[in-house]
Amino acid sequence: MNLKYYKFLILCCAFQLSWSQTGLNSFLKPSDSLHKGRFKAVLVTEGSLVGVSLIGLNQLWYANYPKSKFHTINDSDEWLQMDKLGHTFSAYQLSRLGAQSFEWAGANKNKQLVYGASLSLGFLTAVEVMDGFSAEWGFSWSDMAANVSGAGLFVGQELLWKEQRIKLKYSFHRTRFAPQRPNKLGNGLNEEFLKDYNGQTYWLSINPHSFFKQSNLPKWLNVAVGYGASGMLSGRSETLPHINQNRFRQFYLSFDVDLERIETQSAFLKTLFSVINVVKVPLPTLEFTNDSRLKWHAFYF
């Protein structure tokens, strides 16, 4: 629930990471050993960011809805699971950005992973608990499973390979569905970007060279497998007055660019590439649907 706030925090973390590293190249470069000043600064900054976000979320969002006793809901069948992938994506990216902040501070690998995953799961769990005390929503175990999956994807790859060979990415395009239900799917681009699941695609961006290091494949070239859904005007397939839902799943196959594998000596560019690497690069794409349709996109986003 409230996925838009998870994405908002990701953007804030990304901004904090890039803003804190806009000085000289020597300042931007991650410390070779634990830098106590940087470490404390990252702890205070990220802790404050999480705290302020939760307070603001409670005042600006939950305060407008009635409270209830803590309760759980089963929303695993909503939005053709697009919202669950959004949770997985958010947890993965928050873990990644958190770990990279502590890498900049010179923390060892174990601390990077512990603090990064703790930042991600701590924030997302707190939001789920707030959902649990709201009459409008409820604590969702399927959301929590998606959160753990996202953090686990990041931490697991670091423990297994010491690198991210498979990255979760995001893309978005506007659709004709939001104007039909702007209160549900967003009114205008800023809201639609966060709320219209019909226009969102989540990607597993896989780096072949990392699996075949002796090959001549470009280090930055990825193969991307995507999932989306369309025809959704509500979470479930219920009948709505004067509205016909034709819901279907979409699967994509494309290429991608792993910006973090582009070789550069510039710490500024490395930081910039890391921040924007959450987005899949628009490239030629094949689309398959669950009703056996095939479509070619010269450039899909």
Side-chain angles (χ1 to χ4, degrees):
M1 304 291 269
N2 298 311
L3 179 61
K4 60 182 180 179
Y5 293 101
Y6 303 165
K7 292 178 180 174
F8 172 74
L9 185 64
I10 289 174
L11 294 176
C12 288
C13 287
F15 176 77
Q16 178 268 324
L17 183 62
S18 59
W19 178 258
S20 66
Q21 300 182 12
T22 55
L24 298 174
N25 222 39
S26 59
F27 176 76
L28 294 168
K29 184 179 179 181
S31 178
D32 293 331
S33 58
L34 182 63
H35 190 294
K36 293 184 178 180
R38 289 186 179 186
F39 188 80
K40 291 179 180 178
V42 171
L43 277 178
V44 170
T45 301
E46 295 191 346
S48 300
L49 180 60
V50 169
V52 169
S53 297
L54 290 173
I55 293 172
L57 177 59
N58 183 63
Q59 294 300 316
L60 297 176
W61 185 259
Y62 290 101
N64 297 322
Y65 297 93
K67 302 291 185 182
S68 71
K69 291 183 178 180
F70 184 82
H71 63 287
T72 63
I73 59 171
N74 180 9
D75 61 350
S76 59
D77 60 342
E78 291 190 356
W79 301 110
L80 295 179
Q81 291 74 53
M82 284 296 294
D83 60 324
K84 305 311 171 200
L85 283 177
H87 281 267
T88 303
F89 168 83
S90 299
Y92 174 86
Q93 295 296 348
L94 284 173
S95 297
R96 182 181 72 89
L97 291 170
Q100 287 180 346
S101 295
F102 286 101
E103 179 186 14
W104 174 73
N108 62 44
K109 177 62 73 172
N110 287 339
K111 286 186 177 180
Q112 292 173 30
L113 298 181
V114 169
Y115 285 115
S118 296
L119 166 72
S120 173
L121 292 178
F123 174 77
L124 298 179
T125 300
V127 174
E128 283 300 325
V129 170
M130 294 168 76
D131 276 349
F133 285 103
S134 173
E136 186 76 9
W137 298 283
F139 183 96
S140 169
W141 284 110
S142 56
D143 284 355
M144 282 302 303
N147 296 338
V148 172
S149 296
L153 179 63
F154 174 78
V155 173
Q157 290 187 83
E158 291 295 327
L159 294 175
L160 180 62
W161 296 317
K162 296 182 171 48
E163 63 178 348
Q164 296 296 299
R165 298 183 179 184
I166 303 171
K167 297 183 177 180
L168 270 175
K169 293 194 176 188
Y170 172 83
S171 64
F172 174 80
H173 60 272
R174 301 188 77 176
T175 74
R176 61 183 175 86
F177 300 103
Q180 299 180 54
R181 296 199 76 190
N183 62 320
K184 195 76 171 178
L185 302 178
N187 185 9
L189 178 60
N190 289 340
E191 290 187 8
E192 293 169 26
F193 174 80
L194 299 169
K195 298 173 70 174
D196 186 5
Y197 290 115
N198 299 282
Q200 298 176 8
T201 306
Y202 293 97
W203 302 86
L204 284 176
S205 187
I206 305 163
N207 184 256
H209 183 272
S210 63
F211 290 97
F212 306 99
K213 294 186 179 295
Q214 302 305 316
S215 71
N216 293 322
L217 292 168
K219 294 181 180 179
W220 47 264
L221 180 64
N222 279 19
V223 175
V225 180
Y227 173 75
S230 189
M232 301 178 295
L233 293 167
S234 64
R236 294 184 170 92
S237 59
E238 69 267 24
T239 301
L240 300 172
H242 311 296
I243 292 177
N244 179 33
Q245 294 195 81
N246 180 26
R247 302 152 65 92
F248 60 92
R249 303 176 189 272
Q250 299 158 302
F251 305 91
Y252 300 93
L253 180 63
S254 183
F255 291 106
D256 187 30
V257 177
D258 188 343
L259 298 174
E260 292 177 281
R261 292 183 184 271
I262 296 177
E263 295 184 4
T264 175
Q265 296 300 314
S266 169
F268 172 77
L269 286 178
K270 288 181 179 179
T271 302
L272 179 64
F273 289 161
S274 174
V275 170
I276 64 178
N277 207 35
V278 301
V279 178
K280 185 198 173 294
V281 175
L283 288 170
T285 302
L286 273 176
E287 175 187 343
F288 309 87
T289 63
N290 61 340
D291 57 1
S292 301
R293 285 180 290 161
L294 178 64
K295 187 175 181 180
W296 168 258
H297 300 271
F299 290 95
Y300 177 83
F301 195 67

